[in-house]
Amino acid sequence: MNGAHFVVKALQQQGVKQVFGYPGGAIMPVYDALYDCGVDHLLCRHEQGAAMAAIGYARSTGGVGVCIATSGPGATNLITGLADALLDSVPIVAITGQVASPLIGTDAFQEVDVLGMSLSCTKHSFMVQRAEDLGSVIAQAFEVARSGRPGPVLVDIPKDIQLAAIEHACITHEVTEPDAPVQADIDAARTLISQAKKPLLYVGGGVTLAHAEAELRDFLAKTKMPSMTTLKGIGTIAPDQYAFLGMVGMHGTKAANYAVQEADLLVVAGARFDDRVTGKLDEFAVNAKVIHLDIDAAELGKLRQADVAIAADLKQVLPQLAMPLDIAPWQQHVLAMKQEYQWRYDHPGEAIYAPLLLKQLSDMAPKNTVVACDVGQHQMWVAQHIEFDSPRDHLSSSGLGTMGFGVPAAVGAQVARPQDTVIAVSGDGSFMMNVQELGTIKRRKLPVKILLIDNQRLGMVRQWQKLFFEGRYSETILTDNPDFVALAAAFDIPGETIVVKEQVQGALERMLNSEGAYILHVAISEEENVWPLVPPGAANDKMMEECE
Amino acid sequence: MLHHLSVSAEHSPELLERVLRVMRHRGFHVQNMQMNLVTENRQVELQVALASERAIELLTNQLAKLIGVTSVQVLEQASAAKLVAVK
Ligand SMILES: Cc1ncc(C[n+]2csc(CCOP(=O)(O)OP(=O)(O)O)c2C)c(N)n1
Ligand SMILES: [Mg+2]
């Protein structure tokens, strides 16, 4: 057995059945081992696509995603995906080929210092130095990727090590358990919770990463505490949960943004006071004490000092904090705001109104539908108007905001969950950033649905130009877009274009009922903006809204 | 403000880059640094003086979670001076 075969065996030992990647010189031994080994490899059409497919796979299942690339340009093409996974704490393992050890440092063909390059966009990276280390390095890579606060891990393997003979090697690695929460901290948190008159639960992606959705829902069932989520937290709380206010922050709901400013206690579960959530930090939840729960101690006190900070596994902590509360006036107040500021879908004229279309889609889509979105206005409309029962069904590049994420993430999710409907909601700008992945959809005959919301603009940037740069539309006008339906047809993906409201229902039905892939190209007005909007530098209760 | 840190870690070729990158990125400027590799147990001992307006916990928490870093200690000014003198 050589090193490459051993790598594949080590992947199998980790339970890996599916990998995404792109071959090249320095990774050829691994591709040779993949040829007939029983691990399924899907060829993506760009390494960025492979990384994002691995992210889609990981996020839609809760497992670890794997992507593979060659040295030099293959590895540099992975970088945006690694950064995306770092900012959203997604467990992926990237395996890259490296030039042979004696050539490292000689500026060899396709040699890049991948280890050095990766340091700022991975949780950890390894360069394998001896063939006998392969087993423990790969086991450790998976352990690092999925433990604690998950994240991307890179394993760079020189070609001579892939080719070296390996006789016996063990593939074990010891696993460290996180510390249990300190009882005094739990007691202090319970005291704060029991004393609060206006407590609010602020839920981030960490709850799902901790596989603590059930514990969170139990906590809510017991406390009936009003709640809100971040972009990544969407789906963690059932949409019909009592006093759930939706998303908080820049494009959050009015109810959540007002409630957070009134709250006297924030219980923060697996969230990190991101600037898109807090608006002006000094004025965020000024009346509130803070209980901050996160597995990553480095998040505690990073942006907001907590009154009680607990670095521990949410699965353990949440049940210890649940208790019935006596907060009826606050609950009623919050419910009244929720009622008053409900989304409204009345919209004049014939032109398609994207929020309404997404609401219709939300009502029609089968249970367990996965929506992978791109980045821009359409992404925020998805977050606002589609209801999710699970955070694993909402794949949105949240921390990095990576245009081009939607289609490859949908590919990864569809491969992982072949029985479920998977929809990529994209924008005309974002779609073009990884459009080559239509080739991957075609190759595997994946039934991915693409809902392309086309405003002929880099809409989110245009919105800011309109509001904050005096309408100087610098390089955001895309009236020269290609014919998207024809483009998809070139990949054997059928579809249609719709332009008026009355076409929406039928077209959504055709898309959802199509057996294979489908593109629904939706033309909307470039004038539409995402509301409400907390403008830069403002507190969350200073939201801008559509002027009639 | 000047902070003094003592960092212990398992040795790896890129360890120094990893640690220095985090220091720079999190807003701390290295003023003075000493590194020792204890070859028998492949442990690295670092003594670093850093300038920053930011609270030192912002850095120590980030360093402590690096894989391979085994301890991060903030030294009082006096003991830091003594350490440098001894070495
Ligand atoms: C890779 C990348 N480049 C640039 C940006 C900045 N950016 C954010 S949203 C946006 C416009 C996206 O346009 P489109 O996909 O058409 O979505 P829309 O806002 O029109 O719905 C841009 C350029 C980004 N987020 N990612
Ligand atoms: Mg657009």
Side-chain angles (χ1 to χ4, degrees):
Chain A
M1 185 165 37
N2 69 16
H5 282 100
F6 188 76
V7 167
V8 174
K9 205 175 130 193
L11 291 178
Q12 279 171 317
Q13 282 213 358
Q14 292 295 329
V16 174
K17 299 199 169 55
Q18 179 70 51
V19 298
F20 304 89
Y22 208 100
I27 193 75
M28 282 183 71
V30 168
Y31 273 82
D32 187 64
L34 283 168
Y35 189 61
D36 49 8
C37 68
V39 171
D40 195 6
H41 177 277
L42 179 55
L43 180 74
C44 297
R45 292 312 182 92
H46 188 294
E47 290 84 355
Q48 183 179 126
M52 290 177 185
I55 292 172
Y57 188 93
R59 287 182 65 165
S60 64
T61 59
V64 180
V66 179
C67 56
I68 303 181
T70 192
S71 66
T76 58
N77 275 349
L78 285 181
I79 289 292
T80 303
L82 294 173
D84 189 272
L86 184 69
L87 284 189
D88 280 345
S89 310
V90 186
I92 63 170
V93 171
I95 295 177
T96 48
Q98 181 54 278
V99 301
S101 310
L103 291 175
I104 293 176
T106 67
D107 306 314
F109 178 62
Q110 295 193 326
E111 185 197 355
V112 167
D113 172 18
V114 173
L115 182 71
M117 182 178 68
S118 72
L119 292 178
S120 49
C121 55
T122 56
K123 180 175 173 188
H124 194 67
S125 0
F126 298 89
M127 157 108 84
V128 182
Q129 305 198 7
R130 302 175 312 171
E132 55 270 36
D133 295 343
L134 270 173
S136 66
V137 167
I138 289 185
Q140 219 182 324
F142 276 81
E143 165 66 12
V144 170
R146 66 162 83 89
S147 63
R149 178 178 182 170
V153 177
L154 179 121
V155 182
D156 199 30
I157 313 178
K159 193 170 181 179
D160 54 316
I161 291 179
Q162 298 171 44
L163 291 170
I166 296 196
E167 278 142 32
H168 69 96
C170 64
I171 313 189
T172 51
H173 172 70
E174 62 189 80
V175 175
T176 44
E177 292 292 324
D179 296 339
V182 177
Q183 192 56 42
D185 290 338
I186 296 285
D187 294 343
R190 287 183 64 92
T191 306
L192 284 185
I193 292 173
S194 64
Q195 287 169 352
K197 300 260 176 317
K198 301 176 176 180
L200 182 60
L201 180 68
Y202 156 23
V203 170
V207 172
T208 306
L209 294 169
H211 302 275
E213 295 99 320
E215 287 76 5
L216 186 93
R217 289 185 181 204
D218 285 351
F219 176 87
L220 281 173
K222 273 221 184 81
T223 60
K224 295 212 164 45
M225 192 183 284
S227 57
M228 60 184 194
T229 73
T230 65
L231 181 58
K232 266 190 72 200
I234 286 174
T236 316
I237 302 174
D240 60 358
Q241 165 69 37
Y242 179 78
F244 171 54
L245 303 176
M247 181 169 75
V248 59
M250 183 173 277
H251 291 296
T253 65
K254 287 178 78 172
N257 280 337
Y258 284 134
V260 74
Q261 298 300 77
E262 291 178 33
D264 67 357
L265 175 68
L266 277 188
V267 179
V268 188
R272 58 185 174 92
F273 294 93
D274 178 81
D275 52 278
R276 284 296 188 268
V277 161
T278 62
K280 190 174 185 199
L281 186 62
D282 309 341
E283 291 176 24
F284 178 70
V286 274
N287 302 312
K289 294 196 165 160
V290 170
I291 299 173
H292 197 170
L293 316 172
D294 203 292
I295 189 80
D296 182 0
E299 289 302 341
L300 307 176
K302 184 180 81 175
L303 291 160
R304 168 81 176 242
Q305 281 308 321
D307 297 271
V308 179
I310 304 181
D313 185 351
L314 292 170
K315 228 177 153 58
Q316 288 184 31
V317 183
L318 284 168
Q320 299 185 52
L321 300 183
M323 66 183 93
L325 302 178
D326 182 14
I327 51 168
W330 169 239
Q331 286 161 329
Q332 274 144 29
H333 173 62
V334 159
L335 284 173
M337 285 203 289
K338 180 177 178 174
Q339 178 71 24
E340 181 177 351
Y341 301 126
Q342 275 179 53
W343 297 119
R344 290 180 50 180
Y345 295 101
D346 42 331
H347 178 265
E350 296 243 283
I352 293 172
Y353 182 49
L356 174 60
L357 176 142
L358 293 169
K359 166 81 177 120
Q360 285 172 276
L361 176 64
S362 180
D363 292 341
M364 290 163 70
K367 214 175 150 41
N368 303 328
T369 293
V370 177
V371 175
C373 43
D374 256 302
V375 172
Q377 294 179 309
H378 62 281
Q379 175 191 30
M380 292 298 111
W381 286 324
V382 165
Q384 292 176 336
H385 304 290
I386 297 190
E387 294 196 329
F388 292 93
D389 295 321
S390 162
R392 305 223 172 279
D393 297 345
H394 176 235
L395 312 182
S396 193
S397 171
S398 307
L400 194 64
T402 319
M403 287 174 70
F405 178 83
V407 173
V411 164
Q414 187 75 79
V415 169
R417 292 168 51 177
Q419 307 307 328
D420 292 329
T421 301
V422 176
I423 306 172
V425 177
S426 191
D428 50 314
S430 299
F431 183 65
M432 294 295 283
M433 282 226 178
N434 272 320
V435 74
Q436 79 287 343
E437 296 310 316
L438 296 183
T440 313
I441 291 176
K442 175 178 177 187
R443 185 181 186 84
R444 186 55 68 91
K445 298 195 176 57
L446 295 170
V448 169
K449 320 296 180 223
I450 298 164
L451 179 67
L452 179 50
I453 299 184
D454 181 1
N455 48 12
Q456 300 196 5
R457 294 296 183 279
L458 296 174
M460 188 56 98
V461 182
R462 179 200 175 276
Q463 175 168 349
W464 281 53
Q465 288 171 334
K466 178 175 170 70
L467 298 175
F468 312 119
F469 289 87
E470 296 158 3
R472 290 157 56 85
Y473 298 120
S474 180
E475 298 292 354
T476 51
I477 299 176
L478 302 182
T479 43
D480 51 358
N481 273 329
D483 176 338
F484 290 114
V485 174
L487 180 61
F491 293 88
D492 297 344
I493 300 173
E496 63 186 299
T497 297
I498 56 173
V499 293
V500 292
K501 280 195 182 101
E502 63 183 23
Q503 295 173 296
V504 168
Q505 185 76 17
L508 287 176
E509 275 165 21
R510 282 188 293 282
M511 178 182 82
L512 290 171
N513 295 335
S514 72
E515 226 163 76
Y518 198 84
I519 184 164
L520 177 56
H521 172 231
V522 183
I524 66 163
S525 160
E526 75 273 13
E527 303 280 338
E528 295 292 348
N529 293 314
V530 182
W531 306 114
L533 163 70
V534 178
N540 273 1
D541 51 357
K542 306 285 181 306
M543 285 166 275
M544 296 170 76
E545 285 180 88
E546 178 142 44
C547 22
E548 307 275 318
Chain B
M1 209 184 134
L2 205 59
H3 307 282
H4 296 271
L5 282 190
S6 160
V7 179
S8 313
E10 290 162 32
H11 176 256
S12 68
E14 77 286 2
L15 176 84
L16 209 49
E17 269 172 277
R18 210 183 276 285
V19 169
L20 288 172
R21 190 199 74 76
V22 171
M23 291 173 172
R24 170 187 55 77
H25 175 58
R26 299 291 170 179
F28 293 77
H29 307 285
V30 176
Q31 308 292 304
N32 186 324
M33 187 176 85
Q34 187 172 4
M35 182 193 127
N36 263 319
L37 171 61
V38 186
T39 20
E40 308 91 76
N41 60 0
R42 301 174 51 77
Q43 280 285 317
V44 173
E45 302 293 336
L46 275 176
Q47 307 283 336
V48 198
L50 297 138
S52 180
E53 292 311 306
R54 299 188 178 182
I56 190 68
E57 293 71 35
L58 292 178
L59 179 61
T60 52
N61 282 340
Q62 296 293 343
L63 291 174
K65 73 176 185 179
L66 289 176
I67 311 291
V69 168
T70 42
S71 96
V72 181
Q73 275 179 296
V74 183
L75 304 176
E76 298 302 323
Q77 208 94 5
S79 60
K82 218 190 303 169
L83 268 167
V84 171
V86 170
K87 288 237 158 96

